[in-house]
Amino acid sequence: MKDIKELDNLITEVSHEFRSPLNSIVGFSDMIRSETHGPIHEKYREYADAIHESGLFMLDLIGEILNPFNIEATKKSYQPEKFDAILLISEITNILKPQAIENKITIFNNIDDIELPVFLNKISLKQILFNLLSNAIKFSKNNANIYISASIESGNLIIEFQNSSKDATNQNFEIGKNGLGLFIVKSLIEQQSGGLKIENKKNTGTIVTMSLPFKI
């Protein structure tokens, strides 16, 4: 019992050390985008929005990672929730937009202006989308385009990422060969009985398709 209590105390302390600076980042970025001390350029507002959303994302992620070590949290099972998948995709896109701009990559959301209500583990889907879009940016050449599409088919949420460029001799990437990101994605998807498909095509780029079953 003593060891468990010490572990709990350690996790609480680590959580506090991470959350304190992140809360400051979220708070100050919110002040900037709200123009608390005067107007700012529209481009800087976009950056402030991205910083704010990234901070909130990291706070959620830290909670998800650390909470399983907490005694009370271990009593809680997988908790899906209802949310709009389109809004979540837009949120992740905004977070990674500065990275795409830096690499001279344009992201296109080929998604109709509709809602896609799903009933899934939201933080898990955030991690999946973040890693997949990060990889799409990483493995795209300068001046490439990344196209994102989403749909619901037979009770499954289907999201597809495709990168392409004029000289589309893209780098192949496969699970197990390109860092921890895709391994995490595969594990999270399999936990929810979903699927992940990666197609590398020399003349059209890479197409990554993920599917997750859900119930409304």
Side-chain angles (χ1 to χ4, degrees), residues 21 38 42 95 100-101 116 127 137 147 153 157 160 172 185 187 189 204:
E42 185 62 32
I95 289 174
I101 292 173
L116 282 183
Q127 289 178 262
I137 294 171
Y147 301 92
E153 300 176 14
L157 172 64
E160 181 179 282
N172 290 352
V185 166
S187 298
I189 290 176
T204 58

Side-chain angles (χ1 to χ4, degrees), residues 40-58:
I40 59 174
H41 191 278
E42 185 62 32
K43 183 58 65 176
Y44 287 125
R45 187 197 304 278
E46 290 181 16
Y47 294 158
D49 286 340
I51 293 169
H52 186 263
E53 290 173 0
S54 296
L56 292 177
F57 173 69
M58 289 304 298

Side-chain angles (χ1 to χ4, degrees), residues 166-177:
K166 294 179 181 178
D167 58 341
T169 55
N170 75 288
Q171 305 175 57
N172 290 352
F173 63 97
E174 300 175 5
I175 296 169
K177 293 185 178 180

Side-chain angles (χ1 to χ4, degrees), residues 144-178:
N145 297 326
I146 295 175
Y147 301 92
I148 306 174
S149 61
S151 61
I152 293 176
E153 300 176 14
S154 304
N156 290 273
L157 172 64
I158 310 294
I159 300 178
E160 181 179 282
F161 298 84
Q162 178 175 357
N163 68 347
S164 62
S165 61
K166 294 179 181 178
D167 58 341
T169 55
N170 75 288
Q171 305 175 57
N172 290 352
F173 63 97
E174 300 175 5
I175 296 169
K177 293 185 178 180
N178 292 282

Side-chain angles (χ1 to χ4, degrees), residues 34-188:
S34 299
E35 300 180 326
T36 303
H37 297 293
I40 59 174
H41 191 278
E42 185 62 32
K43 183 58 65 176
Y44 287 125
R45 187 197 304 278
E46 290 181 16
Y47 294 158
D49 286 340
I51 293 169
H52 186 263
E53 290 173 0
S54 296
L56 292 177
F57 173 69
M58 289 304 298
L59 283 171
D60 284 342
L61 190 57
I62 287 169
E64 186 75 6
I65 292 171
L66 295 181
N67 278 346
F69 293 96
N70 181 280
I71 297 174
E72 292 301 318
T74 54
K75 298 177 182 178
K76 299 179 181 179
S77 59
Y78 170 84
Q79 294 293 334
E81 59 183 291
K82 186 177 180 179
F83 60 93
D84 182 7
I86 298 299
L87 289 179
L88 187 60
I89 293 171
S90 296
E91 179 183 333
I92 298 302
T93 301
N94 288 335
I95 289 174
L96 291 171
K97 187 180 291 184
Q99 181 181 334
I101 292 173
E102 183 179 349
N103 288 276
K104 298 179 181 179
I105 293 168
T106 305
I107 301 174
F108 293 94
N109 281 349
N110 291 342
I111 302 170
D112 295 330
D113 189 17
I114 58 173
E115 292 185 359
L116 282 183
V118 296
F119 193 64
L120 292 164
N121 185 319
K122 189 174 182 179
I123 185 64
S124 176
L125 183 56
K126 272 188 176 183
Q127 289 178 262
I128 292 169
L129 295 178
F130 184 88
N131 278 290
L132 289 180
L133 185 53
S134 292
N135 270 329
I137 294 171
K138 178 181 178 182
F139 288 94
S140 294
K141 293 188 174 183
N142 286 354
N143 302 311
N145 297 326
I146 295 175
Y147 301 92
I148 306 174
S149 61
S151 61
I152 293 176
E153 300 176 14
S154 304
N156 290 273
L157 172 64
I158 310 294
I159 300 178
E160 181 179 282
F161 298 84
Q162 178 175 357
N163 68 347
S164 62
S165 61
K166 294 179 181 178
D167 58 341
T169 55
N170 75 288
Q171 305 175 57
N172 290 352
F173 63 97
E174 300 175 5
I175 296 169
K177 293 185 178 180
N178 292 282
L180 193 58
L182 281 177
F183 178 78
I184 292 174
V185 166
K186 185 174 183 291
S187 298
L188 289 172

